[in-house]
Amino acid sequence: MLKHPVFRILICLLSLSIPCSARKGPAPPTLAAQIKRFVPADISSNLSGLSANDRKALSKLVQAASLMDSIYIRQVWSGNESVLRRLQADDSPEGIERLHYFRINMGPWSKLDHDAPFVEDVPAVKPPGANFYPEEMTKEEFDSWQRPLSEEAQSRATGFFTTIRRDERGRLFPRPYSEEYREFLEPAAQLLRDAAVLTENASLRNYLVLRANAFLTNDYYQSDVAWMDLDSPIEPTIGPYETYMDELYNYKAAFEAFITIRDDEESAKLVKFSSYLQEIEDHLPIDRRYRNPSLGALSPIRVVDEIATGGEAKAGVQTAAFNLPNDERVVKEKGSKRVLLKNVQEAKFSQVLIPIAFSAIDSKQGPLVSFEPFFTHILAHELMHGLGPHTITVDGAQTTVRQEMKELGSALEEAKADVSGLFALQFLIDNNILEKSLERQMYVTYLASIFRSVRFGTNEAHGLGTALQFNYLTDEGGFAYDPATKTYSVDFEKIRAGVEKLTGLIMTIQAEGSYKKARELLGTYGVIRPEMQAILDRSTDIPVDIEPRFAPVE
């Protein structure tokens, strides 16, 4: 679930060498038009299967999720909290609108407009290091500081759960999240403990106690393991996870929360997918030495309905599924869990994808767009995050794809998960595990979904990774443009070969740890070409995403 890295013009010039013209866009629309791109959607769920005590525990978890908002707002930018207070004090119609859009973005920069500011007196360029590092710190300073440190000290400096601050002499040092955000983490930990006392489920109780301890000790390993073992009707995910907001290094994790309940019927249908992961890994279109001969324990899959969100999960485009944890130690030992937010997916499909399909897809193929392949490809996307290269060797030293790809890692990983998800589904179809009837629907629905995702902007990981896939597969002949109707269609004779080729290319770049090749690939293909732009221009009245409205938990 990778969501937010921003590749702005200044960063292009300083470090990425990706054509800056590809990052430019038209002037941001009016504030009202910006808000209109997020269509309000009532997100419902059925709590009738929960016991009275579990309902009380759920209420505590929703309260804890709201505390993740406070931490995340502080993480976005050092001035973010003061801007929020200023907007809350402004009761003018424009002030109310700005506060509304601030809450959608969880900050004063519009995520769908290349992070253009929509509030006065904020930096014109969103700080690439967010509030994880001193804002005036350069990458050169950080590298010079951490390079001579001991291995243990380097691990703290580059780890998920520390900010980098300056001491009284101006020297850099790592500060644990448990100290940095203690005023929010202490009450959040207490709410988790309260919920643990209430719940009747032993695995949920264990996770909540360990996660509460992690908030105060800064050691998240045991609670991540417990989260992997969670077997409960309530499925909470809460804490620091994704690193998208750290655009300097992709090191530092932002706080978020997904409070959900499990859909047992749908989960049972999808469990069988896990049993084929090793077989898919063994057939990946990459050199055999880059494949993992033993993936370890089967990764659990959960289909859930969302009850509430907090922190980064609220910001901008809403997550439809996620794959966690990100700690390579846990992934190696336990695998990773795939969580699909079905009620969110249904809202996105009906309110956004269907209208986009009418605008972008050839009318002969439009009827092939349906929810089942949309839902199944999101599952495959999340499965494929766990396959392919993760821990790698570069110049004789063991490292990780995340560390070597740096700020490019999120976009490349999203593209990998998308395109290799198609490769995996095709493999399952070819081996009669999935119905052959899914094949054409899968590719056309994927094409329609590309136009949904690219509207997030190429400054965002999903949007940039989507542009890469679309342009590459178009050049390989998998997608065909009709200048008469100004729509696209799938060439079913060519799409399979293009998908396999791109899957192999991205995974090989990751396995080699080649930042240079990743930069070249994204620089070449991570752009909006004129034909796609024309379709996007005529789709401006179609919402880009949903603005969830959750029913209160009683």
Side-chain angles (χ1 to χ4, degrees):
M1 178 192 72
L2 301 163
K3 238 177 48 163
H4 300 301
V6 179
F7 294 24
R8 292 179 305 275
I9 294 172
L10 181 61
I11 300 176
C12 290
L13 292 170
L14 292 178
S15 62
L16 292 186
S17 299
I18 296 175
C20 293
S21 60
R23 307 291 168 244
K24 294 179 182 178
T30 65
L31 191 58
Q34 287 175 313
I35 294 171
K36 190 177 178 181
R37 292 174 299 185
F38 293 86
V39 59
D42 292 325
I43 306 297
S44 60
S45 55
N46 183 2
L47 305 182
S48 62
L50 296 182
S51 68
N53 273 358
D54 272 353
R55 284 194 182 216
K56 293 177 183 177
L58 187 65
S59 179
K60 296 288 185 182
L61 295 176
V62 171
Q63 294 176 55
S66 69
L67 287 166
M68 301 302 105
D69 293 351
S70 300
I71 300 175
Y72 179 74
I73 284 172
R74 181 173 294 180
Q75 289 183 308
V76 169
W77 170 51
S78 61
N80 214 27
E81 291 169 298
S82 63
V83 169
L84 175 57
R85 288 191 293 270
R86 172 157 56 96
L87 294 178
Q88 288 171 326
D90 184 354
D91 59 1
S92 69
E94 187 178 49
I96 293 170
E97 265 193 338
R98 291 197 191 284
L99 178 61
H100 183 180
Y101 200 48
F102 181 99
R103 293 196 185 281
I104 288 175
N105 289 277
M106 298 295 277
W109 296 281
S110 177
K111 294 181 180 297
L112 294 182
D113 299 298
H114 303 273
D115 278 333
F118 58 89
V119 177
E120 294 180 352
D121 301 324
V122 303
V125 176
K126 184 173 177 283
N131 194 20
F132 297 124
Y133 309 89
E135 286 178 24
E136 78 288 351
M137 185 201 78
T138 64
K139 294 181 75 170
E140 291 75 18
E141 181 186 7
F142 181 86
D143 291 341
S144 297
W145 164 67
Q146 65 91 17
R147 194 177 297 117
L149 297 176
S150 67
E151 184 176 344
E152 182 180 352
Q154 280 188 348
S155 180
R156 287 195 297 271
T158 62
F160 290 119
F161 312 127
T162 60
T163 57
I164 304 301
R165 298 296 179 237
R166 294 192 188 277
D167 63 19
E168 63 280 357
R169 296 173 60 183
R171 298 173 301 188
L172 299 177
F173 73 96
R175 189 180 188 198
Y177 280 5
S178 54
E179 296 178 12
E180 184 83 13
Y181 309 115
R182 182 171 293 275
E183 66 183 284
F184 306 117
L185 290 176
E186 284 185 343
Q190 186 58 54
L191 285 165
L192 297 192
R193 291 194 183 99
D194 292 345
V197 171
L198 288 165
T199 184
E200 299 157 11
N201 183 279
S203 67
L204 177 58
R205 184 183 309 115
N206 183 50
Y207 166 69
L208 293 175
V209 170
L210 290 173
R211 182 51 45 128
N213 293 342
F215 281 167
L216 304 182
T217 64
N218 219 50
D219 184 353
Y220 286 85
Y221 174 77
Q222 291 296 335
S223 59
D224 275 342
V225 171
W227 183 77
M228 288 295 298
D229 293 333
L230 192 59
D231 183 12
S232 165
I234 300 174
E235 181 91 17
T237 304
I238 183 167
Y241 285 106
E242 303 292 2
T243 59
Y244 318 129
M245 196 160 60
D246 178 1
E247 296 163 22
L248 288 179
Y249 290 101
N250 227 210
Y251 289 160
K252 306 303 178 184
F255 278 83
E256 65 182 347
F258 297 91
I259 309 304
T260 70
I261 58 170
R262 192 172 64 194
D263 184 325
D264 289 327
E265 182 178 351
E266 289 293 343
S267 294
K269 291 179 184 178
L270 298 172
V271 164
K272 68 175 185 178
F273 278 64
S274 288
S275 62
Y276 297 101
L277 292 182
Q278 186 64 60
E279 194 171 352
I280 293 170
E281 176 82 22
D282 293 342
H283 287 83
L284 289 175
I286 55 177
D287 192 290
R288 182 173 298 180
R289 71 182 187 273
Y290 296 147
R291 299 174 188 157
N292 190 336
S294 178
L295 290 175
L298 294 180
S299 299
I301 304 171
R302 297 284 186 268
V303 179
V304 300
D305 280 341
E306 198 169 77
I307 303 299
T309 57
E312 188 171 46
K314 280 187 175 179
V317 173
Q318 296 298 291
T319 299
F322 56 87
N323 175 67
L324 292 172
N326 287 326
D327 188 327
E328 287 91 356
R329 299 172 301 167
V330 182
V331 172
K332 186 175 181 180
E333 176 185 344
K334 304 285 292 186
S336 54
K337 186 190 297 186
R338 282 79 178 173
V339 180
L340 286 83
L341 304 162
K342 189 180 181 187
N343 56 353
V344 174
Q345 291 179 22
E346 289 171 334
K348 285 173 177 277
F349 183 83
S350 63
Q351 305 246 30
V352 181
L353 184 60
I354 289 297
I356 279 286
F358 278 110
S359 177
I361 304 301
D362 182 274
S363 60
K364 296 184 183 67
Q365 292 190 355
L368 291 171
V369 177
S370 63
F371 180 73
E372 182 185 356
F374 176 71
F375 180 80
T376 306
H377 182 248
I378 291 175
L379 166 66
H381 171 109
E382 297 305 326
L383 285 171
M384 295 310 293
H385 275 309
L387 274 64
H390 287 90
T391 300
I392 59 176
T393 301
V394 177
D395 297 329
Q398 190 175 85
T399 181
T400 66
V401 171
R402 179 180 69 87
Q403 289 177 313
E404 296 305 313
M405 294 297 100
K406 300 178 184 177
E407 77 282 355
L408 305 180
S410 295
L412 198 66
E413 177 64 20
E414 287 304 297
K416 163 216 151 176
D418 263 353
V419 73
S420 66
L422 286 179
F423 172 85
L425 292 177
Q426 187 66 63
F427 176 86
L428 296 175
I429 291 170
D430 292 344
N431 286 275
N432 300 314
I433 297 159
L434 291 176
E435 295 292 331
K436 181 72 174 176
S437 59
L438 182 68
E439 186 174 22
R440 290 194 167 210
Q441 292 180 336
M442 171 182 79
Y443 287 119
V444 176
T445 303
Y446 165 73
L447 174 57
S449 191
I450 279 178
F451 285 93
R452 181 187 70 90
S453 297
V454 82
R455 297 171 81 213
F456 304 158
T458 54
N459 58 308
E460 191 269 348
H462 288 82
L464 183 62
T466 297
L468 158 63
Q469 297 166 69
F470 177 79
N471 291 323
Y472 188 95
L473 294 174
T474 298
D475 290 355
E476 292 293 315
F479 301 141
Y481 179 70
D482 184 346
T485 61
K486 296 183 172 55
T487 59
Y488 278 88
S489 60
V490 175
D491 186 324
F492 296 111
E493 299 298 320
K494 297 179 179 179
I495 187 65
R496 287 183 56 163
V499 163
E500 183 170 333
K501 187 176 178 181
L502 183 55
T503 297
L505 176 60
I506 292 175
M507 288 193 179
T508 299
I509 289 172
Q510 291 179 319
E512 294 173 346
S514 178
Y515 178 88
K516 179 176 182 291
K517 290 181 181 178
R519 183 177 62 191
E520 291 171 352
L521 186 67
L522 287 166
T524 301
Y525 294 103
V527 298
I528 304 297
R529 293 176 179 173
E531 294 83 2
M532 173 177 271
Q533 188 61 56
I535 292 174
L536 298 179
D537 289 343
R538 69 171 184 256
S539 305
T540 54
D541 289 338
I542 299 172
V544 174
D545 201 48
I546 61 170
E547 182 182 2
R549 293 179 175 176
F550 298 105
V553 176
E554 298 176 356

